[in-house]
């Protein structure tokens, strides 16, 4: 990523951070930083996609450029995505001496998402856009932000109403836990000890869900409209490799630790499985090709450390920094994502104890071998 791009994103983060509603939760902060790091790494694909759309007159021939961010959550990064896309489009319009369009940004997540947190950030967000408009002394298109709650495995928008769809760290979440995996024993996800039917059920569920997602979005995008999608995936075909499964194995171990202390029942663990799937590149490519509505224009991969504050991508295990620091940060980042799901199944009384044990398991793992999240980002265009 270019230095000026990283600087621009960093400035946007600082602008938006102080819009937060005062939530000082460190788990939230770690997870937001993880998403921010991933977004930096997806910028080349996003820029490529916007230039592609400009070259095909998708941007310059519309008065209002409509963007949807699917699975936006309620973090600062939802507005960071919107701000980054608006900047890219405006810069491109300036370079080519075209008038910048207006922007409509539709934020999507499930009905239970805290959209009010985002809405409270909007006055400052609009104020920052206004400052940019004055600074550039050029026409800077107005931006209108709205929320569209609902599952993205169903229709969300009118036919041919969107130009660009963005989704980060959402599509590896399945619509529900795969059926028929009651024999997954003490695992909470796929593992090397899982029976073959469990692996097949997970693969089939992702195939069904992703196909449905593509079908729904193909009806909502204009012809030539694009999507930029980022998954947490895996590096090879084997669905039980460490880079996608070991973190869930460590969480399962932590659950068994508190089982031994009598804080939960064994039946609670046996009835809990993750509605989650890490696809490999070939799976993503094949589903896109077989579904047939989109052209795959670009596919990149990148890795992100479990601890989002860890910038060492060379070492194969923790040396210079005590591994317990990385373990604690990694546990905080996962807790921000997993706490609602775990609370709904096990109750909230065990959460602090669970993640205290989890961070110790993660620290031991990182001291032995440093495993990173493997990410896949794709750019698709509507045929």
């Amino acid at each position: 990523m270019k230095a000026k791009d990283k600087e621009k994103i960093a400035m946007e983060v600082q602008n938006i951070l102080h819009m937060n509603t005062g939530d000082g939760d460190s788990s939230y902060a770690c997870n937001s930083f993880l998403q921010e790091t991933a977004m930096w790494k997806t910028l080349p694909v996003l820029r490529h996609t916007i230039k592609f759309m400009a070259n095909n007159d998708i941007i310059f021939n519309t008065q209002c450029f409509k963007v949807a961010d699917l699975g936006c959550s309620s973090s600062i990064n939802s507005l960071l995505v919107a701000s980054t896309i608006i900047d890219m489009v405006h810069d491109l319009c300036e370079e080519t001496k075209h008038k910048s369009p207006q922007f409509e940004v539709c934020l999507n997540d499930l009905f239970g998402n805290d959209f009010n947190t985002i809405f409270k950030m909007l006055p400052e967000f609009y104020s920052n856009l206004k400052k940019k408009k004055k600074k550039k002394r050029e026409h800077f298109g107005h931006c209108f932000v709205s929320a569209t709650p609902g599952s993205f495995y169903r229709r969300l928008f009118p036919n041919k109403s969107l130009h660009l769809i963005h989704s980060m760290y959402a599509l590896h979440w399945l619509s529900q836990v795969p059926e028929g995996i009651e024999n997954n024993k003490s695992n909470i996800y796929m593992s090397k000890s899982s029976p073959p039917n469990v692996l097949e059920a997970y693969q089939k569920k992702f195939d069904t869900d992703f196909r449905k997602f593509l079908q729904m979005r193909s009806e909502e995008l204009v012809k030539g409209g694009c999507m930029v999608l980022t998954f947490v995936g895996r590096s090879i075909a084997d669905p039980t490799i460490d880079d996608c499964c070991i973190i869930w194995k460590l969480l399962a171990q932590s659950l068994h630790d508190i089982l031994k202390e009598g804080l939960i029942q064994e039946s609670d663990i046996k009835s809990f499985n993750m509605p989650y799937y890490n696809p490999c590149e070939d799976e993503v490519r094949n589903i896109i090709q077989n579904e047939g509505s989109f052209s795959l224009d670009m596919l990149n991969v990148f890795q992100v450390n479990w601890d989002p504050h860890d910038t060492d991508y060379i070492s194969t295990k923790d040396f210079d920094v005590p591994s317990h620091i990385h373990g604690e940060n990694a546990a905080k980042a996962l807790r921000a994502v997993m706490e609602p799901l775990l609370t709904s199944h096990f109750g909230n009384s065990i959460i602090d104890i669970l993640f205290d044990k989890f961070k110790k398991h993660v620290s031991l793992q990182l001291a032995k071998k440093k495993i990173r999240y493997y990410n896949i980002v794709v750019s698709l265009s509507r045929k």
Side-chain angles (χ1 to χ4, degrees):
M1 181 177 60
K2 297 178 182 178
K4 66 177 183 179
D5 293 327
K6 188 168 184 177
E7 181 179 356
K8 181 183 287 187
I9 293 292
M11 290 177 65
E12 288 296 337
V13 171
Q14 293 305 312
N15 285 337
I16 298 172
L17 269 172
H18 77 275
M19 302 180 209
N20 206 339
T21 55
D23 182 0
D25 183 80
S26 56
S27 295
Y28 172 92
C30 277
N31 184 255
S32 292
F33 196 78
L34 179 66
Q35 292 177 335
E36 177 197 331
T37 301
M39 186 174 177
W40 285 352
K41 293 178 179 290
T42 64
L43 281 181
V45 178
L46 189 57
R47 183 178 296 103
H48 161 88
T49 302
I50 289 174
K51 286 185 177 180
F52 173 87
M53 297 179 74
N55 291 338
N56 287 278
D57 294 328
I58 302 297
I59 295 176
F60 302 145
N61 286 348
T62 182
Q63 292 185 337
C64 184
F65 188 68
K66 191 167 182 178
V67 180
D69 187 27
L70 307 185
C72 67
S73 187
S74 56
S75 75
I76 59 170
N77 294 312
S78 302
L79 297 176
L80 178 59
V81 167
S83 181
T84 302
I85 291 172
I86 290 169
D87 279 350
M88 285 184 175
V89 172
H90 180 74
D91 290 347
L92 190 59
C93 288
E94 280 196 327
E95 290 174 13
T96 56
K97 302 188 184 307
H98 283 83
K99 182 179 178 180
S100 180
Q102 298 182 79
F103 298 89
E104 182 176 357
V105 178
C106 304
L107 303 175
N108 158 262
D109 213 309
L110 297 174
F111 290 103
N113 188 57
D114 183 11
F115 289 103
N116 282 335
T117 294
I118 302 176
F119 295 155
K120 290 175 183 177
M121 301 176 194
L122 286 177
E124 192 69 23
F125 173 74
Y126 287 134
S127 177
N128 288 332
L129 288 181
K130 189 175 181 180
K131 290 175 183 177
K132 290 180 185 179
K133 182 176 179 180
K134 289 181 178 179
K135 184 177 180 181
K136 291 176 181 291
R137 297 180 182 177
E138 296 286 345
H139 176 71
F140 198 102
H142 293 290
C143 177
F144 307 91
V145 178
S146 62
T148 306
S151 169
F152 51 52
Y153 292 119
R154 298 178 180 178
R155 284 293 302 271
L156 293 168
F157 306 100
N159 288 351
K160 300 180 181 179
S161 61
L162 300 176
H163 298 97
L164 176 64
I165 292 174
H166 176 273
S167 181
M168 175 175 286
Y169 284 1
L171 279 164
H172 43 253
W173 290 100
L174 301 172
S175 60
Q176 62 183 39
V177 175
E179 296 180 355
I181 60 171
E182 294 80 6
N183 60 337
N184 202 22
K185 299 180 181 179
S186 58
N187 300 308
I188 64 171
Y189 186 56
M190 295 182 294
S191 76
K192 295 189 184 300
S193 64
S194 295
N197 72 288
V198 172
L199 310 185
E200 293 169 6
Y202 268 102
Q203 291 170 324
K204 183 178 179 180
K205 185 58 180 171
F206 176 77
D207 185 288
T208 300
D209 279 354
F210 191 34
R211 283 175 186 269
K212 190 170 187 179
F213 174 88
L214 294 173
Q215 291 167 0
M216 299 298 100
R217 305 294 81 79
S218 69
E219 297 178 32
E220 297 165 348
L221 280 164
V222 301
K223 184 176 181 180
C226 292
M227 295 198 292
V228 176
L229 313 174
T230 304
F231 308 81
V232 180
R234 65 182 194 270
S235 56
I236 61 174
D238 180 3
T240 65
I241 60 167
D242 285 349
D243 62 19
C244 69
C245 291
I246 198 165
I247 199 161
W248 306 117
K249 179 181 178 181
L250 299 179
L251 186 59
Q253 288 177 357
S254 305
L255 286 168
H256 281 278
D257 289 342
I258 62 175
L259 169 65
K260 294 175 183 176
E261 297 178 9
L263 299 178
I264 57 174
Q265 303 294 319
E266 186 174 9
S267 59
D268 293 333
I269 300 178
K270 288 184 176 181
S271 59
F272 181 76
N273 282 283
M274 292 294 299
Y276 185 95
Y277 185 75
N278 303 86
C280 67
E281 294 174 51
D282 284 345
E283 284 177 300
V284 173
R285 289 179 187 274
N286 290 339
I287 295 171
I288 293 168
Q289 181 179 352
N290 293 335
E291 192 280 327
S293 299
F294 291 89
S295 297
L296 176 58
D297 302 316
M298 192 174 187
L299 186 151
N300 278 7
V301 299
F302 62 90
Q303 292 183 312
V304 175
N305 284 323
W306 281 6
D307 174 3
H309 298 285
D310 180 7
T311 58
D312 179 3
Y313 285 88
I314 298 175
S315 300
T316 57
K317 55 184 172 181
D318 284 330
F319 290 109
D320 299 330
V321 180
S323 60
H324 74 271
I325 296 176
H326 292 323
E328 183 173 2
N329 288 336
K332 287 177 180 178
L334 191 69
R335 176 171 179 167
V337 176
M338 286 297 299
E339 185 166 352
L341 187 62
L342 290 166
T343 298
S344 67
H345 189 84
F346 297 99
N348 59 11
S349 62
I350 56 95
I351 298 300
D352 288 341
I353 300 171
L354 174 64
F355 279 96
D356 184 61
K357 295 182 182 299
F358 178 66
K359 73 181 179 183
K360 293 174 183 177
H361 284 301
V362 172
S363 298
L364 290 172
Q365 170 60 47
L366 293 176
K368 293 185 294 183
K369 181 181 178 183
K370 204 170 184 178
I371 300 171
R372 301 178 171 97
Y373 294 115
Y374 187 87
N375 296 265
I376 301 171
V377 54
V378 295
S379 174
L380 311 176
S381 58
R382 177 73 172 91
K383 293 181 179 177

